[in-house]
Amino acid sequence: MDKFAEGILCIVAAAALVGVTAWVMHLKMPRGMKLVVNSLAGGALVAGLSAFNIITLPFNALTAALVGIFGLPGAGVVVAAALVL
């Protein structure tokens, strides 16, 4: 698969992940369940970025804690830190 098609596929997958996450977050569910779903979505984002070799993300206790506690915003912090460093 060429780089252009791979990039388009990654963009579509990211848009689908954001859409599903937004839909799940607006469902009527307990606060704790929203936290679990947000953490799983953040973990899926980091795993997906690492699996497709889009960006090399360090996986250590700090990054796992950030993504586990903060979910998608924590994954954003990890990705931003990896891009800056």
Side-chain angles (χ1 to χ4, degrees):
M1 184 181 298
D2 63 338
K3 292 285 184 182
F4 181 74
E6 189 174 304
I8 296 295
L9 180 63
C10 289
I11 290 170
V12 169
L17 178 66
V18 168
V20 168
T21 303
W23 175 71
V24 167
M25 290 300 173
H26 288 290
L27 292 176
K28 301 275 185 195
M29 65 176 65
R31 192 181 229 0
M33 189 63 175
K34 285 186 182 182
L35 184 67
V36 168
V37 170
N38 193 16
S39 295
L40 289 174
L45 175 69
V46 169
L49 289 174
S50 294
F52 288 115
N53 291 329
I54 296 171
I55 186 171
T56 304
L57 296 174
F59 186 73
N60 52 31
L62 178 63
T63 59
L66 279 173
V67 173
I69 294 170
F70 296 114
L72 283 175
V77 168
V78 169
V79 169
L83 288 175
V84 170
L85 300 175

